[in-house]
Amino acid sequence: MELKKDSNAVSIDMLLIVHSEKRRAAQGAHMDPQADPGALLQRRGGFQGVGNGIRKWQKLEGNDLYGNLAEKQHPQQPQVITSYDNQGTQLTVEVHPRDAMPQFLKKFSLAKRLQGDKNGNMRPRQPGGKDAHAYPWDRSSLKSMPLDLRQFEKLDTYASQVTVKSGLDELVSDLLQEAHSDLERVRAIWIWICHHIEYDIEAAQEKDRQAFKPTDILRTQKTNCDGYAGLFERMCRIAGVQCVTVPGYSKGFGYQTGQSFSGEFDHAWNAVYLEGRWHLLDSTWGSGLVDTATSKFTFLYNEFYFLTHPALFIEDHFPDNKNWQLLKPPQSLRQFENNMYHKSEFYNKGMLSAHPETSMIRTVNGKATITIESCAPTLFMFMLNGKQEHGLLSLRKNGMKLEVYPPTMGTHKLQIFAKGNSDIYSSVLEYTIKCNYVDLGVQLPAELHQPVGPSWFSEQMGIVKPSHPDPIIHTSDGRCSISFGVEEGISVLASLHGDDGPITEETQRRYIFQLHREKRTELKVQLPHAGKFALKIFVKKRQEPGNYVFVFNYLLCCANTKVNWPVFPESFGNWGQDNELLEPLSGVLPANRNVPFKLKLHGIAKALVKGQDTWPLTLNREGYWEGSCSTAGCQEVYVMVLENANHNFYSYILKYKVNTQ
């Protein structure tokens, strides 16, 4: 029998064999009465009996080719019989009245673009050499074909707003109103599924639950991964685009770094045929994510899994058939298990590569080093065993370098986060660190935050041309001077942090004295004792409200156990940023001495030093206020200024303590 409508219509050649009712009954007597009548028919539609939502392929009962519920048959209505052979070939036969138009041909009016072979078979072509991409990734694109995502903006907006009115046919028809190519048809279907279908966690965990029917998915707008893949394939076929469902292993929800894979497959995704080549996508992972703590699904669109480059797709998707890797050479399961897993956000946020390329790192002399290369400046942070400690992270214009010093021997979990163009840090990498030696000489301050050292970010925040470009500063006498340029309108604040117990915020700043000369800020630092300290740098725009923002810190190291520097004098709010203190720099003055003072003060009428008595300071030709003060009979000494000659109110700008010993 042959059915033809026109040159573009589907052509079907078949041999129809009809058995008598008696023969059918005789055959039925030899069949298992409990057997599934579709048990010998394999089709793409869902998995059953496998954890994480994957099921063995089985026939879906009660649905026509397009997922619409079959109505109760009437004598004059056509009957639809659908079957699949073990090659995946679909055969649909309609039995209809002689004077009726075959509905099968009507329904395939949308599908006239399906390309059959020379014999008219509609079986999707198996992937071959021309579908394969080179491995490893060549960094050319995240996609398997050239795409300008801006061209989809109008279509994406339209497709995401389409609602289900009746069945799958009408939904696809509505989606295709704004789609004018196979690529746009696939895109419209992808966007709709990713924005409307929720991952059903309970269904994924119920091994014996029947596979989802498209009608059920449309009604509940929930499904598991085989339901996503089956729905996507069905909608593509209605739209006239070749599509297959690919089962396999995945590094998804519940994956543990370094785990092995065996037994039944745990995931399913799709391949679509566009512009003469197969391409991969995963609408399950494109729709959102599952919170590992709460096991709740959240819609969070992920562009990464749409037509992903196969060399990137293989990082978390291993198909049952190596041909569906679309790679040359294909990867083995052992390689899949051992290869570094870069999360989708690694690439979404502009990362290119990471070293080491294995998920398990062994320390060398108590240290593990990780570097990341990115295509643009990016902010990073890390957590070792859930805390931002025991590491030095320095930013680079094209990535970052991280040195980790585990505090104990054993196994440690390292997570690396990146910010990219968003305001949120996302996890991009996870390593397992095995440490068999701890360097007790490398104990970093707990308050040493990230990043360490100046970088492109500090320049962006208004701090330029630092005197010390390296993140670590060694001092033999416990003193150092750090300077950098500061952009106009930027205020700088610094504080010193060690691990010698709780100290007040005031004390943290008293070991730093800040000077400002010719658009450069100088930080004079005196360490209270030997050890390692974090020197934190904060900035703030003077004219804007709000708090200072942390920019970076230095690691200051001093091994001299004789170091015992006092604090600097305490400064008050009226101490101007452009003021300069030459002497005395020590905040503790000797008792019963005449102490010289020399300062550069701007915009004041008079200056004096007050102890037991009051001593005026005079302005010399070089612009410095000079004088001396006796510390006899007093415990504190203040420097005071009169800003307006017409007023008699003096302001405190500096405070010294007098040593009582």
Side-chain angles (χ1 to χ4, degrees):
M1 177 174 67
E2 184 179 37
L3 299 178
K4 287 187 178 179
K5 186 175 181 182
D6 56 40
S7 60
N8 292 321
V10 176
S11 176
I12 302 176
D13 297 292
M14 68 180 70
L15 176 64
L16 182 63
I17 301 176
V18 181
H19 298 292
S20 67
E21 291 295 327
K22 292 183 179 180
R23 183 173 179 180
R24 288 181 60 194
Q27 288 178 333
H30 298 286
M31 295 180 63
D32 181 357
Q34 301 299 322
D36 181 355
L40 299 179
L41 301 177
Q42 293 188 352
R43 63 157 296 170
R44 293 171 176 82
F47 292 115
Q48 183 176 4
V50 184
N52 295 330
I54 298 299
R55 315 181 189 285
K56 297 175 183 176
W57 302 121
Q58 71 169 36
K59 180 174 179 283
L60 297 183
E61 301 280 350
N63 286 45
D64 66 15
L65 178 63
Y66 308 96
N68 300 311
L69 286 173
E71 297 179 3
K72 186 176 181 180
Q73 301 296 328
H74 298 283
Q76 297 300 316
Q77 290 183 331
Q79 291 184 324
V80 179
I81 305 171
T82 302
S83 178
Y84 299 81
D85 68 10
N86 58 8
Q87 299 293 320
T89 302
Q90 174 180 298
L91 175 65
T92 300
V93 178
E94 288 186 1
V95 181
H96 55 85
R98 183 185 302 274
D99 57 348
M101 171 67 72
Q103 295 298 310
F104 180 69
L105 294 180
K106 290 183 179 180
K107 289 177 180 177
F108 261 102
S109 62
L110 280 173
K112 65 182 180 180
R113 291 174 298 278
L114 277 172
Q115 300 297 314
D117 60 23
K118 63 182 180 180
N119 297 319
N121 295 324
M122 303 313 299
R123 178 171 52 221
R125 177 181 68 78
Q126 290 294 305
K130 73 175 185 178
D131 300 294
H133 295 252
Y135 184 89
W137 183 46
D138 59 7
R139 300 187 179 186
S140 59
S141 173
L142 300 182
K143 303 297 186 181
S144 55
M145 65 187 299
L147 289 181
D148 180 359
L149 296 179
R150 293 173 296 183
Q151 75 183 43
F152 295 132
E153 290 178 356
K154 181 179 178 181
L155 177 62
D156 289 355
T157 301
Y158 169 79
S160 65
Q161 297 174 352
V162 171
T163 58
V164 179
K165 297 176 182 177
S166 57
L168 206 56
D169 284 328
E170 186 175 0
L171 173 61
V172 173
S173 179
D174 290 343
L175 286 172
L176 300 192
Q177 294 299 313
E178 297 293 331
H180 308 293
S181 66
D182 281 355
L183 173 60
E184 291 185 349
R185 294 177 187 101
V186 169
R187 180 71 179 189
I189 294 170
W190 157 269
I191 287 294
W192 188 87
I193 290 179
C194 288
H195 287 80
H196 290 82
I197 305 303
E198 178 179 346
Y199 187 75
D200 192 331
I201 300 173
E202 292 183 1
Q205 297 172 343
E206 293 178 10
K207 296 184 178 182
D208 296 330
R209 182 170 176 174
Q210 294 295 309
F212 279 84
K213 302 174 184 178
T215 48
D216 294 335
I217 299 174
L218 294 188
R219 175 177 54 81
T220 64
Q221 298 206 343
K222 283 187 175 184
T223 188
N224 49 17
C225 52
D226 56 304
Y228 275 99
L231 178 64
F232 193 94
E233 178 182 349
R234 187 72 66 85
M235 293 176 74
C236 281
R237 289 183 177 237
I238 295 175
V241 179
Q242 292 191 55
C243 177
V244 297
T245 297
V246 182
Y249 296 122
S250 69
K251 296 179 180 178
F253 178 65
Y255 168 73
Q256 299 295 321
T257 302
Q259 79 174 59
S260 59
F261 293 86
S262 62
E264 296 172 318
F265 300 117
D266 65 358
H267 194 43
W269 53 93
N270 295 101
V272 290
Y273 193 73
L274 298 170
E275 300 182 8
R277 203 174 190 184
W278 284 105
H279 302 268
L280 302 170
L281 53 80
D282 186 340
S283 57
T284 308
W285 290 7
S287 63
L289 50 81
V290 176
D291 188 313
T292 55
T294 63
S295 295
K296 291 185 178 180
F297 174 82
T298 301
F299 276 108
L300 185 63
Y301 176 71
N302 193 342
E303 174 63 37
F304 179 77
Y305 291 105
F306 178 74
L307 308 187
T308 314
H309 193 292
L312 303 181
F313 204 75
I314 191 61
E315 290 199 20
D316 46 20
H317 292 74
F318 188 84
D320 66 333
N321 184 331
K322 67 179 182 180
N323 292 334
W324 285 115
Q325 294 181 24
L326 307 184
L327 288 177
K328 186 179 182 179
Q331 299 294 287
S332 68
L333 180 59
R334 178 63 60 87
Q335 289 173 306
F336 173 74
E337 293 171 344
N338 294 337
N339 284 348
M340 184 65 205
Y341 170 39
H342 305 93
K343 299 184 179 183
S344 62
E345 286 300 281
F346 181 88
Y347 298 106
N348 285 339
K349 292 184 179 294
M351 309 299 106
L352 296 173
S353 65
H355 185 82
E357 296 180 346
T358 56
S359 57
M360 194 276 289
I361 308 174
R362 294 187 182 274
T363 59
V364 177
N365 296 326
K367 179 177 74 172
T369 302
I370 298 93
T371 59
I372 292 180
E373 181 183 358
S374 61
C375 59
T378 303
L379 290 175
F380 294 88
M381 62 171 285
F382 76 92
M383 297 185 76
L384 184 67
N385 302 324
K387 295 182 179 180
Q388 299 182 45
E389 298 178 358
H390 309 295
L392 298 174
L393 188 153
S394 55
L395 298 176
R396 300 173 175 178
K397 286 189 176 180
N398 63 335
M400 71 88 171
K401 178 181 179 181
L402 171 63
E403 295 178 342
V404 178
Y405 301 87
T408 60
M409 291 189 293
T411 301
H412 304 266
K413 180 180 179 181
L414 174 65
Q415 297 170 283
I416 298 177
F417 304 81
K419 197 170 185 180
N421 295 324
S422 68
D423 294 329
I424 301 174
Y425 281 93
S426 300
S427 177
V428 295
L429 283 178
E430 287 188 9
Y431 285 97
T432 297
I433 298 179
K434 293 190 175 181
C435 178
N436 56 9
Y437 169 77
V438 176
D439 187 349
L440 298 178
V442 183
Q443 292 189 359
L444 304 176
E447 288 292 325
L448 186 72
H449 290 171
Q450 310 150 47
V452 179
S455 66
W456 61 267
F457 178 64
S458 53
E459 287 187 10
Q460 182 177 296
M461 299 299 288
I463 296 178
V464 298
K465 298 180 180 179
S467 60
H468 295 68
D470 295 329
I472 303 177
I473 300 175
H474 293 273
T475 170
S476 59
D477 64 354
R479 295 186 297 181
C480 63
S481 178
I482 303 164
S483 64
F484 37 76
V486 180
E487 292 183 357
E488 189 69 28
I490 299 294
S491 295
V492 177
L493 181 68
S495 60
L496 189 71
H497 304 260
D499 281 340
D500 47 359
I503 56 177
T504 65
E505 182 178 342
E506 174 193 338
T507 307
Q508 291 169 354
R509 293 200 294 266
R510 291 285 299 280
Y511 289 99
I512 307 165
F513 199 80
Q514 186 170 321
L515 305 173
H516 194 74
R517 295 191 185 99
E518 298 179 356
K519 296 184 179 181
R520 286 188 70 82
T521 291
E522 180 182 1
L523 302 177
K524 292 183 178 291
V525 182
Q526 296 182 163
L527 301 181
H529 52 77
K532 294 181 175 65
F533 296 84
L535 177 63
K536 293 187 176 182
I537 311 296
F538 304 82
V539 300
K540 176 183 178 298
K541 290 185 178 180
R542 296 177 190 169
Q543 303 302 323
E544 293 184 2
N547 300 322
Y548 280 83
V549 177
F550 171 74
V551 180
F552 71 98
N553 41 209
Y554 283 106
L555 176 63
L556 306 185
C557 303
C558 178
N560 188 349
T561 58
K562 295 181 180 180
V563 166
N564 184 23
W565 290 106
V567 294
F568 286 104
E570 181 180 356
S571 59
F572 296 100
N574 287 337
W575 174 262
Q577 191 175 35
D578 294 333
N579 292 346
E580 181 181 348
L581 174 66
L582 273 69
E583 59 178 345
L585 289 175
S586 174
V588 181
L589 303 179
N592 303 312
R593 297 277 185 88
N594 283 325
V595 180
F597 282 77
K598 187 175 182 180
L599 311 88
K600 178 170 282 188
L601 307 171
H602 298 275
I604 67 165
K606 293 182 181 181
L608 59 84
V609 180
K610 185 179 185 304
Q612 182 74 10
D613 297 311
T614 300
W615 288 267
L617 300 178
T618 58
L619 184 63
N620 66 19
R621 293 180 180 180
E622 289 78 27
Y624 290 94
W625 292 86
E626 291 182 303
S628 63
C629 165
S630 173
T631 59
C634 61
Q635 296 179 344
E636 296 175 339
V637 172
Y638 295 89
V639 178
M640 307 173 67
V641 297
L642 181 67
E643 297 180 0
N644 191 327
N646 297 322
H647 297 164
N648 294 321
F649 180 76
Y650 280 80
S651 301
Y652 294 93
I653 60 171
L654 294 176
K655 175 184 176 181
Y656 293 82
K657 289 188 176 296
V658 177
N659 196 337
T660 57
Q661 297 180 351

